[in-house]
Amino acid sequence: MKVQILALVAVSALLSGCSDPDDVTSMNHGQMNMNYQMPTRGEATAAPMGGTFLNEPLPADVLAVQLVDQSNHKFKLSDLKGKTLVITNFLTSCQEICPMTTVNMRDIAASVDAAALSKEIEVLEITVDPKRDIPSRLSAYQDLFNDNRWSLVTGDAVGITKIWDFFGAPATKEIMDASESMPMDWQTGKPNTYDMMHADLVVIVGPEGNWLWLDLGAPKTKSGVVPPVLNKFLSEQGKKNLISPQEPNWTVDAVLSALSQITGKDIPIAK
């Protein structure tokens, strides 16, 4: 199964460059909805505004992982069956990419809320660093963004690893070199001694528990603005990524377009 999922991620990396958003700017969401056809299992097709449509059932052990959010609410992905899920990976100690990931997920949740679809669509950021990302830290991190319409999620190391292995984005721990200047943590003011290296991606899981869409790369924000505390915390590479993210990248527009096609609901693209 892991080999198959990694192969789907590789296919997506190729397909995600096949579609040009400029080719679909004249299409409304209703036309896009009419064009969406779920691929057969194991196949992948390019999405009009970026990313890749696929169809891969989440295994029972992934659906059964015990999770907890920033408000100490415990749940499993299986508890969310019947809802469409937007999921990405992150860690609150990241200096290069994750603050921008959170900006995008906040904006996606705001668009879902504006479309009155919050009861049908859940927006989840699931950490790759459960040791540090306990609920109280997730809550403090979310407070920096002045919004709470999406969930920041953690769990135990075994369960979190199981989820990200399935999605083809396993994280590896990298110990920081003590001989060099180590970054100070935005919350504690103490040095961070390790980082978690991971591929950046965003996925959509359908109401039946099938993985239906994937996009890869760094998040590209519309505003280019992150909370001041985290902006100060960004590394030099992180500041460059905020201004001009490396290719490939994923956008709020691509996620909302895919959501609109999958759900058949009109979700206005964020301005």
Side-chain angles (χ1 to χ4, degrees):
M1 175 61 74
K2 185 175 180 180
V3 172
Q4 182 183 15
I5 296 302
L6 290 172
L8 281 171
V9 172
V11 169
S12 177
L14 296 173
L15 289 178
S16 60
C18 294
S19 55
D20 183 351
D22 292 338
D23 293 339
V24 295
T25 52
S26 63
M27 298 172 65
N28 62 41
H29 282 176
Q31 289 171 310
M32 290 183 186
N33 294 338
M34 292 294 291
N35 290 338
Y36 174 70
Q37 290 185 338
M38 185 185 296
T40 59
R41 183 175 179 180
E43 292 185 350
T45 59
M49 290 190 70
T52 303
F53 291 123
L54 47 90
N55 183 8
E56 193 68 31
L58 271 64
D61 61 342
V62 170
L63 290 169
V65 170
Q66 183 67 63
L67 299 169
V68 59
D69 68 14
Q70 76 278 4
S71 300
N72 274 306
H73 170 66
K74 294 181 180 180
F75 68 100
K76 303 170 185 176
L77 292 179
S78 60
D79 297 332
L80 302 179
K81 275 200 169 184
K83 295 185 176 183
T84 301
L85 313 179
V86 182
I87 301 174
T88 193
N89 54 358
F90 87 119
L91 64 154
T92 62
S93 301
C94 172
Q95 291 184 284
E96 291 81 24
I97 295 289
C98 300
M100 287 75 87
T101 297
T102 304
V103 168
N104 275 5
M105 296 298 275
R106 177 200 62 192
D107 292 349
I108 291 164
S111 290
V112 168
D113 183 60
L117 292 172
S118 296
K119 292 184 178 180
E120 300 176 37
I121 299 172
E122 290 273 353
V123 181
L124 309 173
E125 280 190 82
I126 302 180
T127 187
V128 297
D129 185 18
K131 181 178 180 180
R132 289 183 293 201
D133 285 344
I134 60 176
S136 60
R137 182 171 169 93
L138 295 179
S139 180
Y141 182 82
Q142 188 178 54
D143 285 346
L144 298 175
F145 292 83
N146 196 32
D147 203 330
N148 63 357
R149 287 177 286 190
W150 82 108
S151 296
L152 305 180
V153 180
T154 189
D156 66 43
V158 173
I160 293 297
T161 297
K162 189 172 294 185
I163 288 173
W164 291 119
D165 277 357
F166 170 75
F167 285 121
T172 57
K173 187 173 183 178
E174 183 177 272
I175 304 299
M176 293 183 177
D177 189 344
S179 66
E180 300 177 2
S181 177
M182 292 186 288
M184 297 294 123
D185 185 83
W186 60 268
Q187 185 184 38
T188 67
K190 297 178 180 179
N192 281 326
T193 58
Y194 71 90
D195 197 2
M196 297 295 291
M197 309 304 292
H198 62 94
D200 296 289
L201 79 171
V202 58
V203 306
I204 295 175
V205 174
E208 299 302 318
N210 285 16
W211 180 11
L212 299 181
W213 182 83
L214 160 71
D215 208 353
L216 301 167
K220 183 176 182 180
T221 69
K222 281 186 168 290
S223 65
V225 175
V226 301
V229 170
L230 296 180
N231 198 343
K232 183 178 179 181
F233 175 65
L234 287 175
S235 65
E236 288 305 312
Q237 184 58 55
K239 291 175 181 177
K240 291 178 182 177
N241 290 337
L242 176 59
I243 297 169
S244 181
Q246 302 175 35
E247 296 285 349
N249 53 63
W250 64 270
T251 66
V252 170
D253 291 5
V255 176
L256 295 179
S257 171
L259 274 175
S260 188
Q261 292 173 84
I262 288 169
T263 63
K265 303 293 178 64
D266 186 20
I267 307 173
I269 293 175
K271 301 297 184 184

